[in-house]
Amino acid sequence: MVPVLARLADRFSQIQPSATLVITAKARALQAQGVDVCSFGAGEPDFDTPAHIRDAAKRALDQGKTRYGPVAGEPALRRAIAHKLHQDNGLTYNPDQILVTNGGKQAIYNLTQVLLNPGDEMIIPAPYWVSYPEMARLAGAVPVIVPAGAAEGYKLTPDLLRAALTPRSRLVALNSPNNPTGAVYSREELAALAEVIVAAGLWVISDEIYEKLIYDGSEHVSIAALGPEIFERTLVCSGFAKAYAMTGWRVGFVAGPKPIIDAAITLEGHSTSNVCTFAQYGALAALEGPQDEVEQMRQVFGQRRDAMLEHLRHMPGLYACQPQGAFYVFIDIRETGLDSQVFCERLLDEFKVAAVPGAAFGDDHHIRLSYATDLATIERGMNRLATFVQGLA
Ligand code: GLU
């Protein structure tokens, strides 16, 4: 039989698979064959979801929370999210300004779909999380990549933002604490950006998924909290995956102006319907229950970060800034003479260490290592990395 040629939609021709997920799948496939891989690929906590959260979801199952629910989310969870945003972030939303999504990822995807017209521009500071440009393209929009490197502390500045503005600019993506660099914007830095955003009439997606994972006394500030004008222009996106070790549960949310949230709800109604009902009861318990495990996990991540950085300090040719948040180290590999793809391919093939090439984040001179893994793996993997780099010298 002659195979039927699949003709995909034109907009799909430019879309790449998610590098973070591809590398992780590759590492897992090797592990399944019995290969001893040190995986620093996807940012996924290695902890179990806290027991009281799992118990709440089990109870919800037993109570019959197994049916369709409201598309926008369980009312109790929307209320709890509104309360969290008020208490933690100083943001006042009605529960009807909140949409529960299938992970933080769907929150951002839905927003790009409802805010961007073909030809509109979405300003994305680089290094960026892999999925932002692809989501802009899937909406028919143009990702405008604005490099913000080590000299800027890997942060967008008001001057860089101003220089990127055109009449088609519509949306800017901010992510603090940042994936992949761990950079955290200060209140002053956000206030200066907010001024430009308001003056230009942009929308801002503020991806705050790593807000609880913050070190060295840094403070997480939501740009939405910096005045009524920027509040009106901000869509706050977050989720439960990183802080509560709930990656597979797929529960996230977005809060913002009601007309935009209503449009995102309509989109969700036609695409995925509600988020898994009993998973939402786990998320509710995460918000309403004790927070001490979040703090314990944060402290352990901090120790792992320090261990990884200590190894890196002794590897000539590799340079990393001290990340202030999230659980990634972004390493400058320029001096090795390899590009990030070749570096990561060789590191995996020859030394069985999985890392994500910086090219996937818009910077081919870096690689990303996740330290959301145990100290023993960090020790083994960093020794292998050191051997690999010595061999390149
Ligand atoms: N956001 C995590 C990462 O960057 C998980 C994978 C993904 O969704 O990209 O590794």
Side-chain angles (χ1 to χ4, degrees), residues 18 20-21 24 41-44 105 129-131 179 210 242 250 328 356 361 368:
S18 164
T20 47
L21 300 183
T24 308
E44 170 161 47
K105 194 176 273 189
W129 177 50
V130 287
S131 295
N179 174 6
Y210 295 99
K242 313 294 186 184
R250 309 314 298 140
Y328 309 105
V356 187
F361 308 104
R368 188 192 80 172

Side-chain angles (χ1 to χ4, degrees), residues 18-370:
S18 164
T20 47
L21 300 183
V22 168
I23 305 271
T24 308
K26 210 168 158 184
R28 283 205 182 125
L30 285 170
Q31 282 164 339
Q33 292 165 23
V35 180
D36 168 27
V37 178
C38 295
S39 185
F40 304 126
E44 170 161 47
D46 56 328
F47 300 108
D48 288 331
T49 305
H52 69 279
I53 299 174
R54 286 182 274 137
D55 288 344
K58 287 181 211 166
R59 259 196 319 277
L61 266 174
D62 290 340
Q63 288 166 356
K65 306 285 188 198
T66 53
R67 301 182 185 276
Y68 290 134
V71 170
E74 291 295 303
L77 181 58
R78 293 172 88 192
R79 283 197 300 274
I81 293 167
H83 180 70
K84 172 254 175 293
L85 289 168
H86 187 69
Q87 202 176 36
D88 294 358
N89 310 101
L91 303 172
T92 305
Y93 293 105
N94 283 323
D96 67 0
Q97 291 179 275
I98 288 159
L99 165 63
V100 180
T101 54
N102 286 278
K105 194 176 273 189
Q106 195 193 24
I108 301 166
Y109 180 81
N110 282 3
L111 291 172
T112 52
Q113 289 292 318
V114 304
L115 287 173
L116 294 170
N117 276 317
D120 280 352
E121 293 175 357
M122 174 168 166
I123 297 174
I124 303 174
Y128 49 73
W129 177 50
V130 287
S131 295
Y132 295 155
E134 306 307 74
M135 288 181 185
R137 288 189 188 103
L138 283 166
V142 180
V144 174
I145 308 301
V146 181
E152 290 84 24
Y154 298 110
K155 295 185 230 184
L156 182 65
T157 63
D159 284 346
L160 287 172
L161 177 55
R162 253 185 236 108
L165 292 173
T166 76
R168 296 307 302 261
S169 306
R170 182 145 167 89
L171 187 57
V172 55
L174 285 184
N175 173 213
S176 177
N178 181 268
N179 174 6
T181 67
V184 174
Y185 286 73
S186 70
R187 183 177 293 271
E188 293 72 29
E189 288 164 342
L190 290 172
L193 288 173
E195 243 177 68
V196 183
I197 290 165
V198 169
L202 301 179
W203 296 104
V204 51
I205 288 181
S206 182
D207 178 353
E208 303 179 16
I209 186 87
Y210 295 99
E211 84 170 282
K212 299 286 179 199
L213 300 175
I214 203 153
Y215 315 104
D216 306 331
S218 296
E219 179 197 18
H220 170 71
V221 177
S222 174
I223 192 170
L226 300 180
E229 288 177 313
I230 189 69
F231 179 74
E232 285 300 320
R233 305 214 137 264
T234 305
L235 288 307
V236 177
C237 299
S238 192
F240 296 83
K242 313 294 186 184
Y244 297 96
M246 291 173 66
T247 45
W249 293 62
R250 309 314 298 140
V251 192
F253 60 87
V254 49
K258 191 164 181 310
I260 297 174
I261 297 301
D262 284 345
I265 294 170
T266 301
L267 176 59
E268 195 152 316
H270 285 297
S271 50
T272 58
S273 305
N274 63 279
V275 171
C276 170
T277 307
F278 51 88
Q280 293 187 59
Y281 283 88
L284 180 61
L287 289 181
E288 291 184 339
Q291 302 297 306
D292 45 331
E293 278 182 75
V294 176
E295 173 57 14
Q296 281 159 19
M297 289 190 273
R298 186 194 71 81
Q299 286 181 14
V300 174
F301 287 134
Q303 289 157 9
R304 294 166 173 183
R305 176 197 69 156
D306 294 346
M308 201 174 247
L309 288 173
E310 185 54 28
H311 277 278
L312 286 166
R313 268 192 273 281
H314 299 104
M315 291 186 210
L318 299 192
Y319 300 97
C321 292
Q322 178 144 319
Q324 297 298 298
F327 37 49
Y328 309 105
V329 181
F330 204 52
I331 304 168
D332 188 331
I333 57 159
R334 202 176 315 230
E335 280 190 15
T336 65
L338 300 182
D339 68 39
S340 67
Q341 303 272 9
V342 171
F343 190 102
C344 290
E345 264 167 38
R346 287 190 53 187
L347 187 60
L348 186 59
D349 290 348
E350 298 169 26
F351 289 87
K352 312 302 174 214
V353 174
V356 187
F361 308 104
D363 183 338
D364 204 16
H365 298 305
H366 285 72
I367 62 164
R368 188 192 80 172
L369 300 185
S370 161

